Amino acid sequence: MVGAPGGKSSARKARPRLVLTMVLVALCLGGAAKAAGELLPAPSGQVFFGVTDTGQIEDFTAFGQSVGKHPAVIETFHPYGNTLHYAIPRWGAAQARPMLHISTVDDQNGAELITPQGIALAGGDDYLLRLNASFATRGIDAYIRPLGEMNRCLNAWAAYDCEGNSRGPAYTPYWYRQAFRRIAIIVRGGGTLADINAKLAAIGLPAVDRQAGNGLEPDALASAPVSMVWSPLPGGSPATRKNRPIRFYPGAKYVDWVGTDLYSRYPVWKSLKKFYKTKAFRKKPFALTEWGVSAGDDPKFVKRVFAWVRSHKRTRMLVYYQDFGTSNSYRIQNYPKSRAVIARNLRQSRYPALPPNPPPPPSPTTPTDPNDPVPPTGGTGG
């Protein structure tokens, strides 16, 4: 686990600083860099349909063929600190806009890598700086979804266990909110180091701290074309008052999209309706960041999902969760009636096959560069 920092302010001042060329590179990629915090919306009147990433482009292609529509979004799940070396070319091959979900658990051994408090207190800034560089230098439009389902007790970053008890001071709703804010400020970038540090200081957080490599800190962070997605469960698990979604809301300044998850096994329509109408974010674009059939063929559920999207106009994205392997309970190819309903709905022009400005196709060689995150010990590199 990455621990909280301590006693590094004087050492930080003495470090040499490197003026990154990211700003110039971003400008050379085709005009002025996009403003940080951009919504990256679907075109007017349209809804992005997407699918989760298994790490294999063949699965993405097979899913698209099975539903008769090329997905416009691909959602990749990575542990904190994981490399993008393999994900970036896969996104390019998919020609789909990426959504990067960031967890705090090593996907190889299940070890916790960092706590919400650790993120908030600069315990993992090197990863955030490298994410900013990766998206800014390539001009890749992307959605960033940090620590989704933070009110689901089974997640390592959850504030409460399944009995409703606190998991400890490093996991409180306060530290979740602060962690999300720090991620948004650094990954968005768009200013000098002094500007970034001023934003952090304004909410009571320490200055940027790069820990890896030679300890150099950038003098500026380019504006990365990323959009921040906040996505709790609509009711919470456990569904207690203190585990309500609103307690984890980082604030409108740091959230571009609001999302949530819905599965046929747990069709919590009442909670979804209430969550959608929450006053604090009722003007934000809405997404089903994960949805799926998971308890047998259920065409009625799928019909209701698409009907819900049509009747809730702020819903501009829905991402099907397909899990891994051909026999898993989420694979839509195993549910012919549900698959047919999806395919029939996706014939509508409201669901575009490609997003604006898709990631560039991969080059013949693996497109790695020093700005990409370095793989952690035991990481997949996916």
Side-chain angles (χ1 to χ4, degrees), residues 10 19 39 53 58 63 81 96 128 145 176 184 196 229 239 248 250 262 326 329 333-334 338:
S10 59
V19 181
L39 292 179
D53 183 9
E58 294 81 7
F63 178 88
L128 304 181
R145 184 190 173 203
Y176 170 83
I196 303 300
V229 181
F248 300 87
L262 183 73
T326 59
S329 62
Q333 291 92 327
N334 296 335
S338 297

Side-chain angles (χ1 to χ4, degrees), residues 17 38 196 211 237 246 250 307 368:
R17 290 181 177 174
E38 189 166 308
I196 303 300
Q211 300 177 344
S237 175
I246 194 62
T368 60

Side-chain angles (χ1 to χ4, degrees), residues 124-179:
D125 280 0
D126 185 67
Y127 173 59
L128 304 181
L129 290 168
R130 292 176 183 272
L131 284 183
N132 168 266
S134 292
F135 290 110
T137 57
R138 292 179 173 83
I140 296 177
D141 294 349
Y143 304 103
I144 308 297
R145 184 190 173 203
L147 314 185
E149 298 184 355
M150 78 299 300
N151 58 342
R152 177 176 181 254
C153 61
L154 296 179
N155 286 327
W157 52 92
Y160 305 103
D161 64 23
C162 295
E163 301 300 320
N165 301 312
S166 171
R167 296 191 62 241
Y171 303 88
T172 63
Y174 170 79
W175 284 120
Y176 170 83
R177 296 193 302 269
Q178 291 290 70

Side-chain angles (χ1 to χ4, degrees), residues 328-344:
N328 77 76
S329 62
Y330 298 89
R331 182 178 165 85
I332 196 61
Q333 291 92 327
N334 296 335
Y335 304 123
K337 294 180 181 179
S338 297
R339 184 204 58 76
V341 174
I342 294 176
R344 185 165 60 250

Side-chain angles (χ1 to χ4, degrees), residues 71-104:
V73 172
I74 180 170
E75 182 172 3
T76 299
F77 294 83
H78 272 185
Y80 202 95
N82 200 68
T83 177
L84 295 180
H85 287 179
Y86 298 103
I88 288 174
R90 193 167 60 253
W91 296 339
Q95 286 292 278
R97 181 175 289 174
M99 179 186 292
L100 179 64
H101 178 274
I102 303 170
S103 82
T104 62

